[in-house]
Amino acid sequence: QVQVVESGGGLVQAGGSLRLSCAASGSVFSINAMGWYRQAPGKQRELVAAFTSGGSTNYADSVKGRFTISRDNAKNTVYLQMNSLKPEDTAVYYCNAVELRPGGELDYWGQGTQVTVSS
């Protein structure tokens, strides 16, 4: 099993920056992909940024050029640097890890961290 724990959310003014961290533990050697999703009130959860199984990165169009995903393999941690934040970035941000198993893949989610951007 894999556990993921997020940290780093908070309240920031528009134009500001935050960095989120996601630490993975457990069967980290079997993690196939890892990334960040977010869910705003009344909306579906959406991809923000992620490392794919091939090692490349995917970003939502709405965050390209403003957000950067990075990782520290030694610490089993993925980061999301968020710059030029906008009020529409306000959401609960969730870390996701995908574990590769013989029968398929299994998703693990963190508890979420609130990001609030004031105008």
Side-chain angles (χ1 to χ4, degrees):
Q1 281 197 340
V2 174
Q3 296 81 40
V4 291
V5 178
E6 307 102 334
S7 61
L11 172 65
V12 65
Q13 289 188 333
S17 298
L18 282 175
R19 189 177 82 153
L20 305 182
S21 300
C22 174
S25 59
S27 301
V28 295
F29 56 88
S30 63
I31 293 176
N32 196 36
M34 202 163 169
W36 292 93
Y37 289 71
R38 67 186 180 187
Q39 187 166 19
K43 294 187 177 181
Q44 289 189 331
R45 191 171 297 188
E46 62 176 1
L47 171 72
V48 177
F51 287 104
T52 69
S53 58
S56 60
T57 54
N58 281 339
Y59 289 93
D61 288 342
S62 60
V63 307
K64 284 181 180 177
R66 299 188 298 122
F67 291 11
T68 303
I69 189 170
S70 62
R71 60 188 172 187
D72 184 335
N73 291 329
K75 296 181 179 180
N76 299 314
T77 300
V78 171
Y79 304 96
L80 184 67
Q81 178 66 44
M82 305 185 293
N83 298 328
S84 302
L85 282 161
K86 304 175 181 180
E88 50 263 43
D89 294 319
T90 295
V92 178
Y93 284 69
Y94 296 92
C95 181
N96 168 258
V98 181
E99 182 187 17
L100 184 61
R101 293 188 167 189
E105 294 180 337
L106 188 62
D107 279 287
Y108 294 90
W109 296 92
Q111 79 285 355
T113 185
Q114 177 70 46
V115 171
T116 302
V117 184
S118 63
S119 57

